[in-house]
Structures are given as C-alpha cells and as structure tokens.
Amino acid sequence: MSDEAYGDHLNRLFDDLKDGKIAGEKKPKIVARTPEDVAKILTNERIRLLQVIREKKPESISELAHFLNRRQPNVSNDIKYLEGSGLLELEEKKDPVLHKKPVVNYDAVRITVDLSC
C-alpha cells in the first residue's frame, strides 16, 4: 500500500473510531508509518489534554475544557478521538449532570519506529 493510500486508510480509521463505529474488542492498534501519521494522532493540544487529565483529574469534560481554556465542543472532539484510539477512557458518572469523567491511567506514550526497509 502506498503512503498516500495508507494515509487515506488511517483517516477513515480515525473517523470510524471517532464516530464510535469501532469499539470494544474490535479496537485495532493504531500503527503509524510516517511522522505525519504520528502528528495526526498526537497533536500538541491532544498531548496537553492528556497531561492535564493525568495531572488535574477533572471530573468532567466541561471541567477539562475549563482547565485547558478551550471550547468544550473542541475538547469533546479530541476526547472522542483519543478514546477511540485507546489513549484515554471515559468513566460513567452516577451524577447525570457530570456525564463522563476522562481518565488517563499511564505516565507515558511510547512510539516505536521501524527503521528496516
């Protein structure tokens, strides 16, 4: 598969993950073949979002948006994307006002780059 075709495949996969079309046991590992693929997954804002969740442990997406000083719809989009990619979890809350709590249960993301041809 060419890099362009693979990039298109990744874009469709990311869209399906974000839209909830791939979930549970079907979740694939995300494989990035180029630096651009990694950049699509781990933007500066998404890395910052993961860090804030890990450090401040917000009780809701709304509270997370406040911590980040970002609009909630934009934060929600990143949350859906990262959840679909397996980089964070959303815990169901008993309080219906708070909805879901974003959770990051790791300290680092490791990226392995295959240098063989």
Side-chain angles (χ1 to χ4, degrees):
M1 184 181 300
S2 71
D3 283 345
E4 183 176 337
Y6 187 72
D8 291 341
H9 166 75
L10 280 179
N11 288 335
R12 284 190 305 276
L13 177 63
F14 295 151
D15 288 342
D16 287 348
L17 287 167
K18 185 173 90 174
D19 294 341
K21 294 177 184 172
I22 300 173
E25 296 295 317
K26 294 184 195 177
K27 278 188 185 176
K29 283 188 177 179
I30 302 296
V31 178
R33 290 184 6 172
T34 67
E36 292 80 14
D37 294 340
V38 174
K40 286 179 187 177
I41 300 167
L42 293 172
T43 65
N44 289 337
E45 281 300 315
R46 288 181 181 148
I47 292 170
R48 185 171 146 247
L49 181 148
L50 293 169
Q51 290 170 328
V52 168
I53 292 170
R54 179 80 179 141
E55 292 170 14
K56 297 195 179 224
K57 301 183 183 346
E59 290 295 318
S60 67
I61 295 172
S62 176
E63 185 176 35
L64 174 61
H66 175 74
F67 288 152
L68 293 167
N69 196 28
R70 292 180 59 201
R71 293 182 59 235
Q72 185 169 340
N74 295 339
V75 172
S76 291
N77 286 338
D78 280 346
I79 289 285
K80 287 178 190 174
Y81 186 89
L82 292 168
E83 180 191 26
S85 298
L87 292 171
L88 65 79
E89 296 177 14
L90 289 174
E91 286 183 358
E92 294 289 332
K93 301 293 289 181
K94 292 181 182 179
D95 182 347
V97 174
L98 294 178
H99 302 287
K100 296 181 180 182
K101 176 181 178 176
V103 177
V104 173
N105 288 321
Y106 55 87
D107 295 324
V109 174
R110 289 179 180 77
I111 299 171
T112 302
V113 178
D114 184 1
L115 299 177
S116 62
C117 296

